[in-house]
Amino acid sequence: MQPEAMALHMGLDLPDFDKIGYYGADYGTMKPYHRIGSLLFLSGHVAQIGTQITHKGRLGQNLTTEQGYAAARQTGLNVLGGIRQAVGSLDKVKSIVRTLNFVVCTPEYEDVHKVSSGMSDLFVEVFGRDIGLGGRATIGIMALANGVCFETWATVEIAD
């Protein structure tokens, strides 16, 4: 099944940033994506629906790993919306090259990798393992804008 059909079949609610605008503009001066040849570089995406942040807080303090996983999954939905905004269709994705993930957490929290799997698992569900599973790094940090607990940068290979 092609990724667009799979997203529909899964009942995913992907944002239409062409209609509602990319929320990242509220975080400062930036553009939502930049394409060089077949590589698409997406600016930061977070766990947000419209203007509403879905998961605020700090892992290991007031958020559980399961809540962090859900935040990463919501962020993944926004990444899929960002891909659509940039190239028009999820079917144009050749591969998720890599993601760089940031998890707001206490210094003692050691499961940042489990949080990022919320997004990685979504990509595998939509694109399949060969296309959807890319390289990944996850870093525990002290703070992100507006109290979000998870942010990602993604690099995606696009078919010409």
Side-chain angles (χ1 to χ4, degrees):
M1 188 177 297
Q2 292 292 316
E4 283 288 337
M6 180 57 78
L8 185 63
H9 174 75
M10 292 172 63
L12 299 179
D13 186 17
L14 303 183
D16 184 346
F17 292 132
D18 284 333
K19 286 185 181 176
I20 64 173
Y22 168 62
Y23 58 80
D26 294 338
Y27 291 93
T29 305
M30 72 180 87
K31 60 183 181 178
Y33 59 86
H34 186 78
R35 185 169 177 183
I36 300 173
S38 64
L39 291 180
L40 175 65
F41 298 88
L42 294 173
S43 287
H45 284 75
V46 298
Q48 189 167 322
I49 299 173
T51 60
Q52 188 73 19
I53 296 167
T54 61
H55 297 83
K56 284 188 173 190
R58 183 176 308 281
L59 277 289
Q61 181 178 339
N62 63 334
L63 292 174
T64 66
T65 300
E66 292 75 22
Q67 290 169 312
Y69 182 97
R73 187 172 177 90
Q74 178 59 50
T75 301
L77 293 172
N78 289 333
V79 168
L80 296 177
I83 293 169
R84 270 190 180 163
Q85 179 187 27
V87 299
S89 172
L90 300 178
D91 294 344
K92 294 182 180 181
V93 172
K94 285 181 71 174
S95 69
I96 301 296
V97 176
R98 67 152 183 101
T99 61
L100 177 56
N101 306 298
F102 305 94
V103 176
V104 175
C105 61
T106 64
E108 300 79 24
Y109 186 77
E110 296 181 351
D111 288 332
V112 293
H113 60 291
K114 292 179 181 178
V115 170
S116 290
S117 289
M119 186 175 62
S120 298
D121 291 347
L122 174 67
F123 292 164
V124 169
E125 291 170 23
V126 171
F127 296 110
R129 191 168 185 82
D130 289 342
I131 294 171
L133 188 60
R136 182 182 88 186
T138 303
I139 302 166
I141 62 171
M142 292 307 298
L144 287 167
N146 294 331
V148 299
C149 71
F150 185 86
E151 182 172 352
T152 192
W153 297 347
T155 305
V156 181
E157 183 184 14
I158 303 298
D160 291 328

